[in-house]
Amino acid sequence: MNFYILIVLAMVIWGASWGIAKLISSMTSVVVILFWRNILTFLALIPILFILKEKPKLSYKALSYSILGALVMTAYNYLFFKGLEYGLAGAGGILVTTLNPIFNFLLVSLLSKKRIELVEKFALGLGLLGGLILLKIWDLNLEDILKSGNLFFLIASLAWAFLSILTERSSKHSKPLLYSFYNYAFASLLTFIWVLPYPWVAPLSFGFNFWLPMFYLSVISTAFATTIYFIASSKLGSHVASSYIFIVPTSAMFFAWIIQNEKIQLHSVTGGILALLAAVILHKFKISKSKKSLNL
């Protein structure tokens, strides 16, 4: 099996999810969308666990990480859909997926109290510049940023960076697929409690315009593509697999153009390229330092 082809497929699927999610972002309350996405993903992961012969057992520490992960993941998905409700899918896909590695690096550096090298400072400055261009800093106005959805995307990127750290630390106590399974189990419970005051059964009458995108987002994009990513990571190594995430911004913009007929804006392309370049530099420098430490 060619795992390189599989992981590219997973990244393209993730990229397309931005334009597809935009189709349903304004059809009902964000909380209602979150509930149905969580429950469908949870149900879709059950047969995958069965096929891969994974026993759904967790230690106390792994369970704690799953509960905390569910809280952060719910916050991320809420911000994801709120951003799409107001903003552009292509711009959101670029902003979140390119700034996430940069936020992740900063958080890890702060938590581990590691000294930031000159190359890393340059990359972070480049990423900051890209982020400011993506946010259209020259039009800086809180009301306009909220209307554009970019502030939601920005905070979502930070939330995803926290989630990435939690996922990495949880790997010491459980397998990634089990962690994901319990994440969605707890997220389903959390959003069910949250959604009770809302008309959460209303989507049952929405038809294919709602349920086809929802099926894609929950079963194909999350359960299927994420499982592919986990399997490829175990075969190729996480440092190789994670580098393929750089495909997501390009595919997000492409599918937003195809699905939403969104115009490719110059500031989105420019800011996205700078932020992407920063993420690549950080990633390459991280691998280089790892290799040097192994040779010592």
Side-chain angles (χ1 to χ4, degrees), residues 143-176:
E143 185 178 352
D144 290 338
I145 291 176
L146 280 171
K147 286 180 180 178
S148 71
N150 283 340
L151 186 60
F152 291 110
F153 290 140
L154 185 66
I155 303 172
S157 182
L158 185 60
W160 187 263
F162 272 112
L163 187 60
S164 298
I165 294 171
L166 283 173
T167 303
E168 183 180 353
R169 294 190 175 185
S170 72
S171 63
K172 299 176 183 178
H173 309 286
S174 67
K175 294 181 179 180

Side-chain angles (χ1 to χ4, degrees), residues 204-219:
L204 295 175
S205 61
F206 282 1
F208 287 112
N209 287 340
F210 178 85
W211 289 106
L212 282 179
M214 180 60 74
F215 177 83
Y216 182 93
L217 293 172
S218 55
V219 178

Side-chain angles (χ1 to χ4, degrees), residues 88 256-257 260-265:
L88 299 174
W257 171 57
Q260 295 290 334
N261 197 29
E262 291 183 2
K263 292 181 180 179
I264 298 176
Q265 300 179 4

Side-chain angles (χ1 to χ4, degrees), residues 49 54-58 174-182:
L49 287 176
E54 294 281 4
K55 295 180 180 179
K57 292 183 179 180
L58 283 182
S174 67
K175 294 181 179 180
L177 187 57
L178 285 178
Y179 170 76
S180 181
F181 173 76
Y182 279 104

Side-chain angles (χ1 to χ4, degrees), residues 86-230:
Y86 297 105
L88 299 174
I94 293 172
L95 184 60
V96 173
T97 54
T98 53
L99 291 185
N100 169 51
I102 297 167
F103 281 142
N104 186 276
F105 174 84
L106 280 172
L107 288 172
V108 170
S109 297
L110 288 171
L111 292 172
S112 59
K113 297 180 180 179
K114 289 183 180 179
R115 186 170 66 90
I116 300 176
E117 304 288 345
L118 182 61
V119 175
E120 294 169 326
K121 288 179 181 178
F122 170 75
L124 290 170
L126 201 63
L128 176 62
L129 177 61
L132 292 174
I133 292 173
L134 280 164
L135 288 170
K136 296 177 71 174
I137 190 66
W138 52 89
D139 289 335
L140 189 58
N141 179 290
L142 183 59
E143 185 178 352
D144 290 338
I145 291 176
L146 280 171
K147 286 180 180 178
S148 71
N150 283 340
L151 186 60
F152 291 110
F153 290 140
L154 185 66
I155 303 172
S157 182
L158 185 60
W160 187 263
F162 272 112
L163 187 60
S164 298
I165 294 171
L166 283 173
T167 303
E168 183 180 353
R169 294 190 175 185
S170 72
S171 63
K172 299 176 183 178
H173 309 286
S174 67
K175 294 181 179 180
L177 187 57
L178 285 178
Y179 170 76
S180 181
F181 173 76
Y182 279 104
N183 258 10
Y184 280 98
F186 290 121
S188 297
L189 179 61
L190 174 64
T191 49
F192 176 68
I193 297 170
W194 190 5
V195 83
L196 285 176
Y198 295 84
W200 61 277
V201 295
L204 295 175
S205 61
F206 282 1
F208 287 112
N209 287 340
F210 178 85
W211 289 106
L212 282 179
M214 180 60 74
F215 177 83
Y216 182 93
L217 293 172
S218 55
V219 178
I220 297 176
S221 177
T222 307
F224 176 68
T226 302
T227 301
I228 286 177
Y229 180 76
F230 286 153

